[in-house]
Amino acid sequence: MTVLYPLLGTLGTLFALFFLGMRYKWPVVLDGVRRMNRRYTNPRQMRTAGTPGAYAGIIHHVGRRSGREYQTPVGIVPAEDGLAIVLPYGTRPDWLKNVLTIGRAEITHEGRRFPVTDPEVVPIEDSGAAITAADRRTHRLYGVDQCLVLRTVSQPATKN
């Protein structure tokens, strides 16, 4: 029993640091979570991302320096004039910088691939995104207040 209390205290401290780091966007915490997601979570997420009923869609983007094509799983929400992606890591992710620099991308969502243009980072409240009340509460709890809004081009992309 004497080993259990320090272990619980350590776990509680780690959770508090994680929560505060995510809420207040501490770079060391954000970068650590992003690295873990890129290495472990994203490859598993890509197995189903973009398919009908999947949690995540895929943003297809081109590297702003390398010119290489990349695919990143993201949470996609329908918006008034297109699609929105909530930004839990703020504006730090490379995929976001790529899309903002190039000005276009393609999204695979619900089994269809769409070209998107006019990327703009806006406050969630101004996005016109169909975000549920429960998700809004979670975003507020973690200090997530921005999303990327993308205008969909009328024709779906030809390749899948």
Side-chain angles (χ1 to χ4, degrees):
M1 199 60 142
T2 57
V3 174
L4 184 60
Y5 291 126
L7 179 62
L8 289 176
T10 301
L11 290 174
T13 301
L14 289 173
F15 176 76
L17 287 173
F18 168 78
F19 174 78
L20 292 171
M22 289 299 291
R23 178 168 177 81
Y24 295 108
K25 307 298 181 243
W26 295 344
V28 69
V29 173
L30 291 178
D31 291 344
V33 171
R34 285 176 46 221
R35 275 193 302 276
M36 184 189 71
N37 283 341
R38 196 171 30 237
R39 175 145 179 136
Y40 300 106
T41 309
N42 289 0
R44 286 169 180 76
Q45 194 70 254
M46 287 297 288
R47 293 178 190 161
T48 59
T51 62
Y55 166 76
I58 302 170
I59 187 156
H60 307 266
H61 54 99
V62 176
R64 61 195 180 282
R65 287 181 239 153
S66 69
R68 289 180 47 203
E69 292 185 18
Y70 295 95
Q71 298 178 4
T72 304
V74 292
I76 298 171
V77 181
E80 290 173 358
D81 193 26
L83 301 169
I85 301 169
V86 176
L87 303 173
Y89 306 115
T91 56
R92 296 177 59 89
D94 288 330
W95 71 261
L96 177 61
K97 292 175 185 176
N98 291 342
V99 171
L100 290 172
T101 299
I102 302 295
R104 60 183 162 69
E106 289 185 356
I107 296 277
T108 301
H109 179 61
E110 294 293 327
R112 295 180 61 197
R113 189 163 170 166
F114 298 92
V116 289
T117 61
D118 303 327
E120 183 180 7
V121 176
V122 299
I124 288 177
E125 302 83 40
D126 299 342
S127 68
I131 300 172
T132 66
D135 284 343
R136 286 183 190 273
R137 284 191 298 275
T138 301
H139 297 323
R140 273 195 303 274
L141 181 66
Y142 282 95
V144 178
D145 57 2
Q146 294 178 310
C147 69
L148 177 69
V149 175
L150 299 151
R151 189 174 59 80
T152 53
V153 178
S154 59
Q155 293 289 12
T158 56
K159 56 184 173 179
N160 209 3

